[in-house]
Amino acid sequence: MTIENETVNAALLQLHEVFSVTATDEAGTFLLDIDVTDVKGQRSRCEYVSRRSDTFGLNVTIRKWLEENPKFPIQPYTPPTPEELREAVPSLTARQLRLGLVNKGITPSQVVAALELLPSGRAKDTALIEWEYATTFQRTHALVALIGAVLGLTGEQIDKMWNSALSL
């Protein structure tokens, strides 16, 4: 893309409406829910992070809008809940999960033995199939909570093991 094209595309950027502004844990940085026209000329509603020092894209226009609308309500920053943080954690491969458990002193055979203690039926069969055949695991998947509960692990212990396993 040439500089001339970039200038034309930047001219297409438009801020149409601001629906909400929320503070973040970073001073002077806000998360906005806005209606914009993007560089392709397409209008849409989206979330936009505005940092005081950012001079790219629509941010100059947004910062000017913020200055011109000092009475617009800014929602306070609310730290994410533990569950929201867990939802944002990357998935683990089956290898990473099993190695993470082993590093915590839990063998795969202990997991299978724990799952075998479940009452016979569809839930048990599903759990065993998930454990044996899933190639990735999400932190918030019911099987992870089930295995943790059966093995007596707290959510925080699972979080710690999960974060360590991400680098394996």
Side-chain angles (χ1 to χ4, degrees):
M1 182 181 300
T2 66
I3 292 175
E4 184 177 296
N5 286 341
E6 288 177 12
T7 303
V8 170
N9 287 343
L12 293 174
L13 294 172
Q14 289 183 320
L15 174 64
H16 300 289
E17 187 172 353
V18 176
F19 301 104
S20 68
V21 179
T22 305
T24 68
D25 62 342
E26 184 181 330
T29 300
F30 302 100
L31 177 62
L32 293 92
D33 178 10
I34 58 176
D35 177 11
V36 298
T37 297
D38 65 20
V39 294
K40 295 180 180 177
Q42 301 203 354
R43 189 169 173 169
S44 64
R45 186 170 178 170
C46 66
E47 288 188 340
Y48 189 98
V49 176
S50 174
R51 288 184 174 80
R52 191 175 315 190
S53 61
D54 185 2
T55 59
F56 183 76
L58 272 176
N59 201 55
V60 173
T61 302
I62 288 171
R63 294 314 270 199
K64 183 177 178 190
W65 185 92
L66 288 167
E67 287 175 21
E68 292 172 352
N69 294 278
K71 293 188 183 202
F72 190 87
I74 297 177
Q75 303 302 312
Y77 169 69
T78 304
T81 64
E83 191 58 31
E84 290 170 329
L85 291 172
R86 287 178 183 131
E87 288 176 15
V89 172
S91 297
L92 291 178
T93 65
R95 176 188 160 278
Q96 287 173 308
L97 179 64
R98 285 168 172 77
L99 287 173
L101 287 166
V102 167
N103 287 344
K104 178 121 178 83
I106 300 168
T107 66
S109 59
Q110 286 175 290
V111 173
V112 171
L115 293 175
E116 288 291 348
L117 295 174
L118 295 172
S120 294
R122 184 180 208 159
K124 177 180 179 176
D125 293 340
T126 299
L128 287 166
I129 289 168
E130 289 277 357
W131 171 253
E132 187 172 347
Y133 297 106
T135 58
T136 59
F137 292 87
Q138 295 174 322
R139 173 60 186 91
T140 56
H141 193 280
L143 180 66
V144 173
L146 177 66
I147 291 171
V150 172
L151 294 173
L153 301 173
T154 66
E156 291 76 20
Q157 289 172 314
I158 296 170
D159 293 340
K160 187 175 179 181
M161 183 277 306
W162 200 276
N163 289 326
S164 294
L166 284 168
S167 64
L168 298 174

